[in-house]
Amino acid sequence: MAEKRPKSPLNSGISRREALLGLGSGFTLLGGCRTTRQAPTVDAEFTSGVASGDPTSNSVVIWTRAYAPEVGSVPVAFEVAEDAGFEKIVRRGTALTSAARDYTVKVDVESLKPGQQYHYRFKAGANVSPSGKTRTLKDVSGHQVRLAVASCANFASGFYNAYRTIAETPDLDAVVHLGDYIYEYGPDGYDGATGRRIGRIPEPAHDTVTLEDYRARFACYRRDPDLQAAHAAAPFITIWDDHETANNSWSGGAGNHKEDTQGSWEARCDAALQAYFEWLPMRDPKPGQAAKTLTRTYEFGDIASLILIESRLTGRGEPLSYSGMTDPEAFEKGPLADPARTLLGAPQEAWLDGELKRSTAAGIAWQVLGNQTVMAPMRTPDYMAILPEDILGPVREKGGYGLRWIERSSLGLPVNLDSWDGYPAARERLLNSAVEAEANLVVLSGDSHMFWASDLYRESDRRLAGMEFATGSITSPGGYENLTSDPRIFDIAAEAIPQKNEGVRFANVKDKGFILLTLTRQTVEADYVGMSTVHSKDFEARTFMTARAERDEHGHAGGISISPR
């Protein structure tokens, strides 16, 4: 009688029968990893957990880091199974990683079943990684799609309670992360005082500039158990914003980059993006494709097309500033309105226009845009008139940027020139594309560290062109927290901003958390989930508002309805 092969721990050998079944094929190693028959004898450590991402209907990328700093090359075995006990293994193999890619491993697991949950794990020597759950995309109708939408997770600003809540949310198809997965600042930078107070001090101890710096920052973040839990619970679909490189980045530089002391912007971008692709569970750029041009579409059957855009490094023009502005009207009609100003660049605008038309022509119900910054026009209320004197007084005494911002609010200018408000002609072109494609446009946004729900109107004729669900941050503080410690500011702003802005239906400028988005062919529903605190591991999560839209009998979505809880 033939010897029975053990089912666990991982067996790195591949039998003839397994090869015929496809267990030793049906995958592609990414990012410079190589296939090897070498047994995994190096006891590498899985200190960063496991992750999966970039799913399609028949494939998904699985990831880990097998850390062994004293070893040149590390063989790492992997298994993918249909069950948590790894009784029904569908793929296995062995990859070789090394310091050249910071000991990370990425495997594109192919020829899987659509809409199927899988389990995966890795082995290096005697050490077996935690197991993770992942899922391929649905390719048929009659199902709902559930996505967690996340953004802005400054390590120093608080505990990752929102990631823990995402990990415990059942039936997720994917986590859509809209950027600021890491922040580039050192411990004395953005919100460093909070980090020292709660013991959340990022590594390395300076701004990240080199490849080694960015790798160390990712390693610091990925040691967090709550982030590891979120990655192990569902596949991630990711796009960067600015802090993965440097604050307020654009195609030619960044607000937090100084060429005289930090070298060339291009070199810093290259280092940041190399670390990004090493550390996140996603496919690498295709041969000949620049890493910066990261655009992708994910199809969820006939329910939704999730279209991810890149709005930082390829087409974004140099940002404007209110500094030195003497004539607000001339500023708005002149440089701000310049039609040549772009966030995406002409090639990406054309690509997006084509994706919207392709999706609607295929009869897909919702066209969902994975976008980094807030799209809805948003002008400042006159806080000089509406804030009580016992809030204004301390702001005046403190002076500085907060006072200048409050004084400028009386002009009613756009709130944030780093968002789509700084590129209004580009926004109008995008909304034109949505209207002309007859798309049911659902814009997902991050960056602002605040929650918003907005109807999007085309400026030329005030026609409804879509809706926007903008998530608050995982941890990063909002601007109003820096303005005053008086908690009344949150309610004042949340009431005043929708009153000032026609399209803004809801504002929450205080809470940290994420959005749980549920789509069917008929409806889209966004649950806004807030954390009671991010400064303690003792917290409660609650859904404080639900925004909803529905398609009519002609298949066209109307405006959103708001249901506070």
Side-chain angles (χ1 to χ4, degrees), residues 384-399:
M384 293 294 293
I386 64 177
L387 287 179
E389 183 57 35
D390 55 348
I391 292 180
L392 278 175
V395 173
R396 289 195 186 97
E397 291 178 10
K398 186 177 180 181

Side-chain angles (χ1 to χ4, degrees), residues 366-443:
W366 304 96
Q367 289 67 50
V368 183
L369 191 65
N371 155 72
Q372 292 74 49
T373 59
V374 171
M375 187 172 290
M378 202 171 296
R379 294 178 178 271
T380 53
D382 184 357
Y383 288 115
M384 293 294 293
I386 64 177
L387 287 179
E389 183 57 35
D390 55 348
I391 292 180
L392 278 175
V395 173
R396 289 195 186 97
E397 291 178 10
K398 186 177 180 181
Y401 176 79
L403 177 59
R404 294 194 300 272
W405 190 86
I406 286 287
E407 291 175 339
R408 192 171 63 236
S409 73
S410 62
L411 302 175
L413 291 165
V415 174
N416 182 12
L417 295 180
D418 187 58
S419 71
W420 284 89
D421 261 341
Y423 304 80
R427 175 175 57 206
E428 187 76 353
R429 289 194 294 271
L430 189 153
L431 297 180
N432 279 336
S433 288
V435 170
E436 291 169 5
E438 297 185 347
N440 288 318
L441 181 66
V442 179
V443 177

Side-chain angles (χ1 to χ4, degrees), residues 35 47 81 103 239 265 316 492:
T35 304
T47 55
Y103 298 99
I239 185 66
W265 172 240
R316 179 183 282 251
I492 292 171

Side-chain angles (χ1 to χ4, degrees), residues 527-549:
D527 290 326
Y528 286 55
V529 184
M531 306 298 111
S532 59
T533 182
V534 296
H535 295 155
S536 167
K537 296 285 286 182
D538 183 12
F539 75 99
E540 293 182 358
R542 67 180 183 92
T543 299
F544 58 82
M545 191 274 285
T546 297
R548 191 176 187 274

Side-chain angles (χ1 to χ4, degrees), residues 57-286:
S57 62
N58 59 12
S59 65
V60 68
V61 174
I62 60 173
W63 179 100
T64 195
R65 187 188 192 217
Y67 187 55
E70 306 304 320
V71 178
S73 296
V74 182
V76 184
F78 58 88
E79 285 182 341
V80 180
E82 293 183 349
D83 63 308
F86 289 85
E87 298 286 327
K88 300 178 181 179
I89 296 173
V90 297
R91 296 287 178 272
R92 62 155 52 104
T94 302
L96 197 64
T97 188
S98 69
R101 57 168 298 101
D102 207 15
Y103 298 99
T104 59
V105 177
K106 288 199 296 187
V107 183
D108 189 358
V109 186
E110 301 159 334
S111 301
L112 301 175
K113 299 175 184 177
Q116 173 83 31
Q117 179 173 278
Y118 292 93
H119 301 260
Y120 62 96
R121 63 186 180 186
F122 300 84
K123 181 185 179 183
N127 294 335
V128 180
S129 75
S131 62
K133 292 188 300 183
T134 191
R135 183 179 292 276
T136 52
L137 303 186
K138 303 177 176 75
D139 69 347
V140 294
S141 62
H143 298 278
Q144 69 174 14
V145 175
R146 280 166 61 87
L147 305 172
V149 183
S151 177
C152 303
N154 188 39
F155 185 84
S157 293
F159 296 103
Y160 287 160
N161 298 335
Y163 282 143
R164 172 59 60 180
T165 305
I166 289 172
E168 296 170 354
T169 301
D171 301 323
L172 283 180
D173 289 287
V175 178
V176 181
H177 201 293
L178 298 174
D180 296 345
Y181 182 98
I182 63 167
Y183 280 68
E184 82 279 16
Y185 299 102
D188 295 327
Y190 179 54
D191 214 16
T194 298
R196 289 189 291 274
R197 177 168 57 84
I198 64 175
R200 300 269 292 179
I201 300 175
E203 299 172 4
H206 53 263
D207 280 15
T208 54
V209 177
T210 67
L211 176 58
E212 291 72 22
D213 293 339
Y214 284 103
R215 284 172 166 175
R217 185 59 53 86
F218 272 105
C220 171
Y221 275 53
R222 290 292 284 273
R223 285 193 293 270
D224 185 277
D226 296 324
L227 178 53
Q228 288 187 20
H231 272 297
F236 269 54
I237 295 172
T238 59
I239 185 66
W240 55 70
D241 191 24
D242 54 341
H243 291 289
E244 286 87 350
T245 49
N247 183 48
N248 287 356
S249 58
W250 57 288
S251 60
N256 190 31
H257 181 75
K258 300 176 177 62
E259 296 240 347
D260 56 342
T261 59
Q262 296 175 321
S264 79
W265 172 240
E266 285 298 319
R268 186 175 185 180
C269 273
D270 288 346
L273 296 189
Q274 180 175 335
Y276 186 90
F277 279 103
E278 288 173 347
W279 275 85
L280 285 175
M282 61 194 302
R283 292 172 185 83
D284 298 322
K286 297 176 182 177

